[in-house]
Amino acid sequence: MGEAKRRETFSQRIRREQPFCIFCGGNTPSETLEHYPPRSIFDGKHRPQGMEFGACRECNEASREADLVAATLSRMMPNPKSAAGREEVRKLINSVWRIPGFAREFQPDRNQAATLNRLRDIAPRLPSWNFVRIDGPIVARSMTIFGSKLGLALHTATTGRILPASGAVAVQWYSNLQAYQDALPKEFLAMCGPGRTLRQGDFEVGEQFTVHSVVPDEGGSMSAHFATFRQSFAIMMFATEQPEKAHRGWSVSPGFLKRSLTAVPVQQTLA
């Protein structure tokens, strides 16, 4: 047995340690290894080890479109400095443009001058005056899926528990413009611990992904998180085994990746 354990792959070890899918309430055997946040979020798809989970194949594959949208939006700011980074962004944009309807939805704000006038108090601090609307249904659905799946992953990572199918995860996401408008949840952030990122030896990705978390009860039945992706967007997530504590308008239950999202909150958002 000892020799067999030494020969097992990293994927096999994770699935042995996590024999049930964390994304559908622990009711389905894990069949795959899921990296979350996904590798597409990170430069060159290169990320340190950490936050790998056992997942059933359906939950693993169901978020592909959402992951692509989130990976593309995460590159909005700052602009990549290297030729390889710019080429990676070009490929992401070409891929996301193939999602039916996305090109019509993801457009510059129609009245840039009016938007700039409305934001005149913070305009000198903005890195760009090119505003893009990101409040359409495809982006809303994708960010709800991405944030909810990340909330389930972070709940397991911080509590060591799989959120049961009877639980709920609620999400709210924020654009970089909302950060400049001082519209982030300060009181919530004050409750969270220090930010952390994925780290493996000297390799860390704090400029690409950082998360602040709080676990309010010793039993680990609840957890809350605030994750930032570069300087592009942030997501607040609240996972609980007591669904009545979640904001109903924003919550889904584990296993949601196997169901159609019939109602997705749409935020009036600029980036």
Side-chain angles (χ1 to χ4, degrees):
M1 176 62 73
E3 182 65 26
K5 284 188 177 181
R6 282 193 293 271
R7 288 200 304 265
E8 70 182 352
T9 65
F10 179 70
S11 175
Q12 289 170 335
R13 178 173 68 80
I14 294 296
R15 286 185 286 130
R16 173 174 56 79
E17 295 173 350
Q18 300 179 18
F20 296 100
C21 176
I22 73 158
F23 301 108
C24 51
N27 295 323
T28 308
S30 63
E31 304 167 296
T32 66
L33 175 71
E34 175 70 300
H35 300 79
Y36 226 76
R39 286 178 291 188
S40 58
I41 287 288
F42 302 94
D43 293 345
K45 296 184 178 180
H46 188 36
R47 78 196 282 282
Q49 284 188 2
M51 293 193 67
E52 292 91 8
F53 306 94
C56 68
R57 193 169 304 280
E58 190 172 357
C59 285
N60 187 319
E61 297 177 353
S63 63
R64 283 184 178 177
E65 181 177 293
D67 294 344
L68 173 60
V69 171
T72 304
L73 293 182
S74 76
R75 271 41 177 225
M76 294 187 70
M77 196 169 73
N79 291 326
K81 297 178 181 179
S82 68
R86 290 188 289 273
E87 177 63 15
E88 185 172 39
V89 171
R90 186 190 68 80
K91 289 181 178 179
L92 280 169
I93 292 173
N94 285 344
S95 296
V96 81
W97 238 243
R98 297 190 186 104
I99 298 174
F102 187 85
R104 293 191 301 273
E105 178 177 313
F106 191 76
Q107 294 288 338
D109 190 44
R110 291 182 179 179
N111 196 333
Q112 300 275 333
T115 298
L116 185 60
N117 182 61
R118 179 169 57 85
L119 301 172
R120 58 186 177 276
D121 292 341
I122 64 169
R125 295 189 284 116
L126 296 177
S128 170
W129 289 353
N130 296 316
F131 304 105
V132 178
R133 297 213 68 89
I134 50 174
D135 58 357
I138 297 173
V139 170
R141 180 178 183 275
S142 296
M143 296 303 284
T144 298
I145 291 172
F146 178 79
S148 299
K149 189 172 182 179
L150 181 62
L152 292 172
L154 287 167
H155 181 76
T156 295
T158 53
T159 69
R161 296 162 64 105
I162 295 176
L163 192 71
S166 57
V169 57
V171 302
Q172 170 76 48
W173 70 285
Y174 300 86
S175 71
N176 49 25
L177 180 58
Q178 287 171 295
Y180 281 100
Q181 291 174 310
D182 201 26
L184 301 183
K186 293 181 180 178
E187 293 182 1
F188 172 75
L189 285 170
M191 295 189 301
C192 292
R196 67 188 191 281
T197 189
L198 298 176
R199 186 184 301 273
Q200 189 174 357
D202 294 332
F203 176 38
E204 59 89 20
V205 288
E207 292 186 353
Q208 302 173 62
F209 165 69
T210 304
V211 61
H212 302 255
S213 299
V214 59
V215 180
D217 66 323
E218 293 183 0
S221 65
M222 301 180 193
S223 68
H225 315 273
F226 190 86
T228 58
F229 295 86
R230 295 182 176 83
Q231 300 170 34
S232 298
F233 66 83
I235 305 178
M236 181 170 63
M237 297 147 283
F238 175 61
T240 175
E241 294 181 9
Q242 305 171 41
E244 66 274 9
K245 293 184 178 294
H247 189 304
R248 293 187 178 181
W250 291 90
S251 65
V252 296
S253 59
F256 76 96
L257 290 163
K258 296 180 176 180
R259 302 187 294 269
S260 297
L261 289 183
T262 56
V264 174
V266 175
Q267 300 174 84
Q268 298 300 315
T269 310
L270 287 167

